[in-house]
Amino acid sequence: MSSASDPLAALGALPGVAESVESVRKAVDRVYGHRVMRRRGGEITSEAALRGARGSAALSGADWALEEVRRRTDFGADPEALAVGAALRLTAEAGQLLSIWRQSPMRVLARLHLVASGSAVAGAVVGRPRLAGEPVDEPLVNLPLPDAEEVAGRLDGLSRLVIAGGSAPALVTAAVVHGELLALRPFASCNGLVARAAERIVLINSGLDPKAICPAEVGHAEQGAGAYLEAFNGYVSGTAEGMAAWIAHCGRAVELGARESTAVCEALQRGAA
């Protein structure tokens, strides 16, 4: 990267990234400007949370219909139900951690993993990064696993970037946080769910999506696991082209999330007409 003092800003200067950032901003502004948002914004936020959780769970192997997620109350019966329950808990918890994120991102990540692993058996490794020799269960990502020492170093670097802030667009920061956590898989389980929840926190906390109505998780799921992994491989490659492709993929996910909430607004408007 060309700027040691603000490496995230350097990513924002990659070819095509500025266009992605601008496209996302326009999509977000459109849904925030919808007339329904002025009267029923709380309903849109709640619906976006539900749909975002469903999307994140789908990428973790539990591709349930939205109405099934909406009606279920028991999420402890099998691996798919556990994934959906974890995604719902993470989405609810994310909003409670916004004020802590910029001061202590590692504290937030530990909390997210603890929440995601709420139904784990006694003695399971939860709420802290894995140590040397501890296994990782992350079926979606089948890439070499960084060792615990590398994980600790890179998490520290990520934490420093978040705390330092900088001039990088929110989309760039969110994509890097998401990609880095998915690459490191720092926890024994639920890494994909935690990575997508952390992306949500950045998008909300940055002011890009303060009311949490543009769920990127919806867009990631809509683009499909294959496209998700292909873009993620670009992030892992570390090349300028790969990084830009991953940021663009995350940007498209936010746009699709905005489109989803726009459709909800339109449905509520028709119902009120």
Side-chain angles (χ1 to χ4, degrees):
M1 295 176 211
S2 60
S3 172
S5 61
D6 196 350
L8 293 179
L11 290 177
L14 290 174
V17 170
E19 290 81 357
S20 292
V21 169
E22 180 62 20
S23 183
V24 165
R25 169 53 67 189
K26 289 179 179 178
V28 172
D29 285 349
R30 280 194 295 272
V31 67
Y32 271 86
H34 198 285
R35 60 186 299 182
V36 169
M37 280 297 299
R38 294 194 292 271
R39 307 190 310 273
R40 304 176 73 174
E43 293 175 66
I44 306 304
T45 295
S46 296
E47 189 66 17
L50 183 71
R51 293 175 185 230
R54 193 216 74 82
S56 190
L59 286 171
S60 288
D63 192 4
W64 288 13
L66 180 63
E67 292 310 313
E68 176 70 4
V69 178
R70 196 188 303 279
R71 74 170 187 82
R72 282 284 288 268
T73 57
D74 175 17
F75 297 101
D78 55 62
E80 287 194 7
L82 288 171
V84 175
L88 288 167
R89 291 192 301 273
L90 283 171
T91 301
E93 187 73 11
Q96 309 303 312
L97 299 173
L98 299 176
S99 63
I100 306 171
W101 174 252
R102 284 293 297 274
Q103 287 73 43
S104 183
M106 283 308 305
R107 180 180 165 193
V108 169
L109 293 175
R111 175 62 184 171
L112 289 175
H113 186 248
L114 185 64
V115 167
S117 307
S119 300
V121 296
V125 178
V126 299
R128 65 157 175 81
R130 56 188 167 83
L131 303 177
E134 291 179 339
V136 173
D137 178 18
E138 185 56 52
L140 183 63
V141 179
N142 187 25
L143 293 174
L145 196 66
D147 62 33
E149 184 177 356
E150 181 181 352
V151 168
R154 287 172 63 176
L155 282 177
D156 182 66
L158 183 64
S159 179
R160 289 173 184 271
L161 285 174
V162 170
I163 293 170
S167 60
L171 172 62
V172 173
T173 304
V176 168
V177 168
H178 182 170
E180 192 70 355
L181 292 174
L182 202 58
L184 294 177
R185 283 148 288 160
F187 300 108
S189 61
C190 302
N191 288 287
L193 292 167
V194 168
R196 292 184 288 276
E199 179 185 46
R200 164 181 282 267
I201 287 173
V202 175
L203 293 170
I204 298 168
N205 209 29
S206 66
L208 176 64
D209 182 21
K211 295 183 179 179
I213 60 170
C214 302
E217 306 96 322
V218 167
H220 287 304
E222 186 170 333
Q223 292 178 90
Y228 183 72
L229 290 175
E230 182 180 355
F232 171 63
N233 286 336
Y235 178 86
V236 173
S237 75
T239 65
E241 295 80 2
M243 296 292 284
W246 170 247
I247 294 168
H249 183 88
C250 291
R252 180 59 179 157
V254 177
E255 291 181 56
L256 290 170
R259 187 179 73 177
E260 184 89 352
S261 287
T262 299
V264 173
C265 287
E266 295 292 339
L268 288 175
Q269 183 169 277
R270 288 193 299 272

